[in-house]
């Protein structure tokens, strides 16, 4: 099976690439903006015609889109998430190879949800910020494209390679600095937020399963369990061997770390993952403690 992977050098894309390369039946080609890609191509500025010619030359059976941006202004997010996806869809429609599309979306497309609820794929999306809006627009383009396509709405990915600027990455960095400086107290705010953390390696397994399935439409990828950041801090302290105390303060101020979530999803988000189980045969395997231990190992290397 020939697979074209877009965004292979990103946080999710790297693990998707590893998963696909472990499958002897897969012949993988990586396309991206960086020099270490098999083919350099910027989806946000490249033309659909140029991408169509490349598709016809490679003739993949599956195209996996992990490309995009998570930070930046509305214009930049629209260019990298929405316009880039429009280019992919148009190129695939023009191509003669008729490949399947696996598009990686995100839970920020849903926006805020009721505490205690599990968000299913039939929930009405109400994104609360430019990132979620740009990703939702990309999903709508995929669903309206007429292609053989599936969108995986990934909830809060965690594990090795977690960006240092993400909430879990900032928590690990705060703990690293406290231990490096010999502090016996760590002051944090915003720990009441609850998210459905799913390990990035489990996400890669879901992408692999989606590429082999006939399922279409939107499928949530999460664990089905929301975890309070306060609980994640406790697990992180345990795996790090942090002997000090963690104090939560109501509001961030000078000297207080705030692992804020800029995803526009409020205090609570939890996935309903029954569709992934029923249609992809997928279940998460890696627990949050293992994910946090791997995040900590990377942070500890900076001591």
């Amino acid at each position: 099976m020939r697979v074209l992977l877009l965004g292979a050098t990103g946080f999710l894309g790297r693990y998707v690439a590893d998963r696909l390369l472990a499958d002897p039946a897969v012949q993988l080609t990586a396309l991206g903006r960086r020099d270490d890609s098999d083919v350099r191509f910027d989806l946000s500025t490249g033309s659909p015609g140029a991408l169509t010619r490349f598709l016809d030359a490679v003739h993949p059976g599956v195209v996996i889109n992990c490309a995009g941006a998570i930070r930046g202004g509305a214009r930049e997010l629209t260019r990298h998430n929405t316009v880039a996806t429009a280019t992919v869809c148009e190129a695939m429609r023009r191509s003669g190879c008729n490949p399947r599309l696996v598009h990686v979306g995100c839970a920020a497309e849903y926006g805020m949800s009721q505490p205690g609820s599990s968000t299913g794929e039939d929930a009405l999306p109400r994104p609360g910020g430019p990132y979620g809006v740009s990703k939702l627009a990309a999903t709508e383009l995929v669903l309206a494209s007429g292609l053989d396509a599936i969108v995986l709405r990934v909830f809060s990915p965690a594990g090795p390679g977690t960006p240092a600027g993400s909430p879990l990455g900032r928590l690990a960095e705060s703990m690293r600095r406290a231990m490096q400086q010999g502090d016996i107290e760590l002051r944090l705010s915003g720990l009441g937020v609850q998210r459905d953390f799913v390990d990035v390696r489990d996400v890669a397994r879901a992408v692999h399963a989606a590429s082999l399935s006939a399922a279409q439409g939107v499928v949530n990828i999460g664990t089905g369990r929301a975890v309070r950041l306060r609980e994640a801090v406790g697990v992180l302290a345990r795996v790090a061997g942090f002997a000090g105390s963690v104090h939560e303060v109501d509001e961030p101020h000078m000297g207080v770390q705030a692992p804020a979530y800029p995803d526009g999803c409020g205090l609570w988000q939890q996935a309903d993952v029954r569709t992934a189980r029923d249609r992809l045969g997928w279940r998460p395997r890696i627990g949050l403690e293992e994910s946090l231990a791997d995040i900590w190992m990377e942070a500890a290397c900076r001591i």
Side-chain angles (χ1 to χ4, degrees):
M1 180 174 67
R2 289 178 179 158
V3 177
L4 174 63
L5 176 59
L6 313 176
T9 58
F11 174 40
L12 295 179
R14 291 196 301 272
Y15 288 95
V16 172
D18 289 345
R19 178 75 186 183
L20 294 172
L21 288 170
D23 184 346
V26 171
Q27 180 180 335
L28 181 65
T29 301
L31 182 149
R33 288 178 288 168
R34 290 173 47 169
D35 291 337
D36 51 354
S37 302
D38 294 328
V39 177
R40 282 195 69 182
F41 190 90
D42 189 339
L43 292 171
S44 67
T45 58
S47 71
L51 184 57
T52 300
R53 290 190 291 274
F54 178 74
L55 287 170
D56 288 337
V58 175
H59 212 80
V62 178
V63 174
I64 298 173
N65 185 20
C66 294
I70 60 174
R71 293 180 182 82
R75 179 175 297 180
E76 183 178 8
L77 291 168
T78 299
R79 184 161 56 88
H80 287 289
N81 294 333
T82 312
V83 174
T85 301
T87 297
V88 173
C89 290
E90 180 60 24
M92 290 179 66
R93 279 194 297 265
R94 296 182 187 180
S95 172
C97 57
N98 194 32
R100 173 169 171 78
L101 174 61
V102 179
H103 176 77
V104 178
C106 73
E109 298 172 38
Y110 287 121
M112 297 178 66
S113 56
Q114 186 69 26
S117 67
S118 293
T119 302
E121 291 85 356
D122 59 350
L124 180 64
R126 297 180 182 274
Y131 172 64
V133 170
S134 69
K135 291 295 287 184
L136 177 60
T139 288
E140 295 297 336
L141 286 169
V142 170
L143 297 178
S145 66
L147 300 168
D148 172 15
I150 184 171
V151 176
L152 302 183
R153 275 196 179 133
V154 178
F155 276 62
S156 297
T162 294
S166 70
L168 290 182
R170 286 198 295 271
L171 287 174
E173 178 62 18
S174 297
M175 197 161 289
R176 181 198 71 80
R177 286 200 302 267
M179 295 178 71
Q180 185 179 33
Q181 296 167 7
D183 295 338
I184 60 172
E185 182 182 80
L186 185 59
R187 291 162 59 83
L188 300 167
S189 70
L191 301 184
V193 172
Q194 297 181 74
R195 288 292 183 268
D196 189 333
F197 296 107
V198 56
D199 193 273
V200 65
R201 292 158 291 194
D202 280 334
V203 174
R205 287 180 42 248
V207 172
H208 188 201
S211 69
L212 298 173
S213 80
Q216 296 184 337
V218 175
V219 177
N220 289 340
I221 302 299
T223 65
R225 175 178 177 260
V227 175
R228 199 179 301 272
L229 274 182
R230 189 179 302 115
E231 180 182 338
V233 171
V235 174
L236 189 62
R238 184 168 68 251
V239 300
F242 178 62
S245 58
V246 177
H247 293 286
E248 184 177 1
V249 297
D250 292 335
E251 297 292 338
H253 53 78
M254 188 66 69
V256 176
Q257 299 297 319
Y261 265 87
D263 56 9
C265 296
L267 294 176
W268 171 273
Q269 198 172 56
Q270 177 176 284
D272 181 334
V273 294
R274 289 175 293 180
T275 302
R277 178 196 63 200
D278 296 341
R279 299 178 66 189
L280 301 181
W282 175 90
R283 289 178 174 82
R285 294 177 181 172
I286 300 174
L288 181 59
E289 182 162 349
E290 183 176 344
S291 301
L292 288 170
D294 289 332
I295 291 173
W296 171 250
M297 286 298 295
E298 293 182 339
C301 289
R302 295 193 288 271
I303 293 180

